[in-house]
Amino acid sequence: MTGEYNFGSSHSSGSEQFDLVIVGGGMVGLALAVDIASRDDCAQLKIALVEATDLNPPTAVEDNLFDPRVVALSDQSRQLLVALGVWSDIAQQRACPYVAMHVWDAEGTGSIDFHCDDLHADSLGTIVENSVIVAALRRRVASFANIILMTGARVTDITLMDEQPNISDHEGQSWNLLSLDLSGTAMSIKGRLIVAADGARSQLRDLAALPVREWDYGHTAIVTTVKTQQPHQFSCWQRFTQDGPIALLPLANTHAHGSLDGSNGHYCSLVWSAATPLSEVLMAQDDAEFCAALGSAFEHRLGKIVEVAARHAIPLRQRHAVDYVCPGLALVGDAAHTIHPLAGQGVNLGFYDVAALADEIGRACKRHLPLSDYSILRRYQRARKSHNLSAMLIMEGFKRLFGADDPAIRWLRNSGMSFMNKQTFLKKQLSKIASGQAAL
Ligand SMILES: Cc1cc2nc3c(=O)[nH]c(=O)nc-3n(C[C@H](O)[C@H](O)[C@H](O)COP(=O)(O)OP(=O)(O)OC[C@H]3O[C@@H](n4cnc5c(N)ncnc54)[C@H](O)[C@@H]3O)c2cc1C
């Protein structure tokens, strides 16, 4: 736990009470806390942000040393981070806008290219390391007196208000109870509303018995940083193979003040999604073998792979909660939906959840509704669930389309991509969706 929270100091007996308890201090949980705390209507809310790990994010980035986990942020997500007052901090640390996206099919001749000029925009999106986003949001959280950050605190159990109607205050209002393991010490806190932002394997989702539809892609993503012989040209590169997509995402290897002329752009973040047996072989290779395998799998589009950092294997599963809400609790981000990384939409969808839930909480505060009012959560679910589901279905469709080895489907997919590449209007619409300028 950090110095931000002093257990026992601010309540006389029983568990400390909060209007809102956000569980999970990843990108989504932190953004939600900042979004709500920034609203004038919510200034009176007392917010607890509970994070299981006690690691502090790095205070500054190091040249040519990158977090292996990155995200491609849509323009809409970037604008949210601007509104939350963290974008300038992120851009000052390290962020790499990309101007083009090149996608091609390994099994045939289909390809499609997007360029920001088609949208009269400066970029199609921005690649940012997860730790850079988390660090900027953590600094912003520290500027709000009404957010209490508890790190090294894992939620181990919850009792929701509908299960325990007798947990109520002198006004007869209900509370949810959370049991925490604080570095080996058991404690509890109460919240009017709990938001689970605790990631893909959400423990709170399980504790609240919210069912989830889940299927295994049979894929594992290998993520790392590589250095390429040729510059990345501030473009995202994605090759679809029958085994899964391989993406090289551009990284800025100087601080944001570095020029965007492409002369310094040789570092890329790799996301190689492959059938799990193949990923095990790739993980077992030494660096030289891996660089050679990647170079050839990528048809040497960026020349040789010159260097590779430590590799990490992440099993990929798709998950979608049947309901995002139940009385007293809401799911956001990966806790509600986990999607294949092939179109880089995961955290973008999570940030759209944040904006929708913060809007509903802001509206409730304005109308002096208690946060235990279930209509807040129902409206949030209505705003987000169908959008997330359609994004997931489209990704699943892509994955199946590119995973098929039926010659008819391969022909269709190659001709479809090449056809689409020539259709200015359709391509523009696709670019808008990919960059977050249009909804799916
Ligand atoms: C290979 C790969 C590539 C990706 N690329 C992209 C991309 O390009 N673009 C994009 O938009 N998305 C991408 N994603 C998805 C993106 O990384 C996720 O959507 C995002 O990290 C989810 O953020 P989150 O805050 O919801 O969850 P997390 O980042 O998982 O954060 C959850 C937090 O909750 C904490 N926690 C967990 N359990 C508890 C508990 N019981 N008590 C207290 N705290 C707890 C954890 O410590 C953690 O800090 C990618 C994902 C993968 C796997």
Side-chain angles (χ1 to χ4, degrees):
M1 185 170 67
T2 60
E4 288 95 341
Y5 181 69
N6 195 0
F7 177 53
S9 64
S10 53
H11 62 104
S12 50
S13 65
S15 316
E16 180 151 8
Q17 298 175 343
F18 296 90
D19 297 293
L20 176 63
V21 180
I22 299 171
V23 180
M27 292 182 278
V28 170
L30 287 161
L32 181 68
V34 172
D35 196 336
I36 293 170
S38 314
R39 292 169 188 246
D40 290 344
D41 292 322
C42 301
Q44 301 307 317
L45 294 184
K46 190 172 161 196
I47 303 168
L49 181 53
V50 183
E51 167 54 41
T53 60
D54 57 5
L55 299 173
N56 284 322
T59 47
V61 295
E62 283 180 50
D63 265 0
N64 303 342
L65 206 59
F66 301 89
D67 184 349
R69 296 290 307 267
V70 306
V71 283
L73 292 180
S74 68
D75 191 53
Q76 202 178 330
S77 294
R78 189 186 63 80
Q79 304 224 8
L80 174 77
L81 296 170
V82 170
L84 299 186
V86 291
W87 185 255
S88 54
D89 186 349
I90 290 171
Q92 225 169 359
Q93 287 294 313
R94 195 158 52 201
C96 188
Y98 56 94
V99 296
M101 200 188 290
H102 307 289
V103 181
W104 74 103
D105 183 354
E107 312 298 328
T109 53
S111 67
I112 187 160
D113 303 300
F114 302 102
H115 200 281
C116 62
D117 289 349
D118 301 335
L119 298 179
H120 309 291
D122 293 337
S123 71
L124 288 176
T126 313
I127 307 296
V128 191
E129 293 149 81
N130 292 14
S131 57
V132 168
I133 300 176
V134 167
L137 284 165
R138 281 279 286 267
R139 283 189 279 275
R140 188 81 176 109
V141 157
S143 69
F144 291 98
N146 60 334
I147 306 179
I148 308 296
L149 175 66
M150 305 165 75
T151 57
R154 171 170 290 280
V155 174
T156 54
D157 203 3
I158 53 171
T159 309
L160 294 177
M161 52 178 72
D162 66 330
E163 298 160 2
Q164 192 82 343
N166 51 349
I167 305 181
S168 55
D169 58 17
H170 56 277
E171 291 164 351
Q173 289 212 42
S174 306
W175 290 97
N176 305 292
L177 189 67
L178 295 99
S179 307
L180 309 181
D181 174 348
L182 189 68
S183 312
T185 306
M187 64 171 285
S188 63
I189 57 174
K190 287 179 188 167
R192 291 251 189 258
L193 173 61
I194 302 175
V195 177
D198 54 341
R201 286 183 294 169
S202 169
Q203 198 184 352
L204 267 80
R205 188 182 60 212
D206 294 345
L207 290 169
L210 284 170
V212 65
R213 295 210 174 91
E214 168 167 14
W215 59 97
D216 193 343
Y217 285 120
H219 269 186
T220 296
I222 300 176
V223 294
T224 185
T225 308
V226 297
K227 189 172 181 186
T228 56
Q229 187 182 17
Q230 291 165 18
H232 52 54
Q233 303 150 51
F234 295 90
S235 299
C236 291
W237 305 79
Q238 181 147 260
R239 182 184 190 225
F240 280 96
T241 74
Q242 214 175 301
D243 259 310
I246 310 173
L248 285 180
L249 311 172
L251 294 167
N253 63 330
T254 61
H255 289 250
H257 326 294
S259 67
L260 290 186
D261 63 4
S263 61
N264 60 6
H266 288 267
Y267 284 96
C268 290
S269 187
L270 169 71
V271 183
W272 187 342
S273 310
T276 299
L278 173 60
S279 73
E280 284 165 0
V281 172
L282 294 167
M283 285 299 287
Q285 289 176 335
D286 65 28
D287 285 357
E289 287 169 332
F290 183 80
C291 287
L294 175 59
S296 107
F298 218 63
E299 296 173 342
H300 300 104
R301 278 285 174 113
L302 295 178
K304 285 187 185 155
I305 306 297
V306 182
E307 267 174 44
V308 61
R311 283 164 263 161
H312 304 267
I314 306 174
L316 299 177
R317 292 180 83 81
Q318 173 139 304
R319 297 181 181 89
H320 195 223
V322 175
D323 284 304
Y324 291 7
V325 301
C326 62
L329 181 134
L331 307 175
V332 288
D334 272 25
H337 44 77
T338 320
I339 188 170
H340 197 287
L342 72 86
Q345 285 301 311
V347 86
N348 290 306
L349 298 179
F351 284 147
Y352 310 154
D353 294 348
V354 164
L357 183 56
D359 278 351
E360 293 309 330
I361 290 177
R363 189 196 313 267
C365 290
K366 195 172 193 150
R367 295 171 59 207
H368 305 292
L369 281 179
L371 290 195
S372 50
D373 190 311
Y374 195 38
S375 68
I376 303 171
L377 302 189
R378 279 201 304 255
R379 287 171 63 97
Y380 156 67
Q381 166 156 290
R382 261 203 308 278
R384 290 301 307 146
K385 199 175 140 189
S386 56
H387 177 246
N388 288 333
L389 186 60
S390 42
M392 296 178 92
L393 291 176
I394 289 172
M395 287 319 119
E396 183 59 17
F398 265 114
K399 206 218 138 241
R400 282 169 196 256
L401 181 67
F402 285 95
D405 61 354
D406 181 320
I409 298 182
R410 275 167 49 186
W411 177 82
L412 201 66
R413 150 180 109 204
N414 287 319
S415 0
M417 277 218 274
S418 301
F419 169 79
M420 185 76 86
N421 201 31
K422 293 184 199 123
Q423 306 303 306
T424 320
F425 175 75
L426 281 176
K427 229 172 89 170
K428 199 167 171 175
Q429 291 309 107
L430 261 185
S431 319
K432 280 187 178 170
I433 291 169
S435 65
Q437 291 181 27
L440 278 163

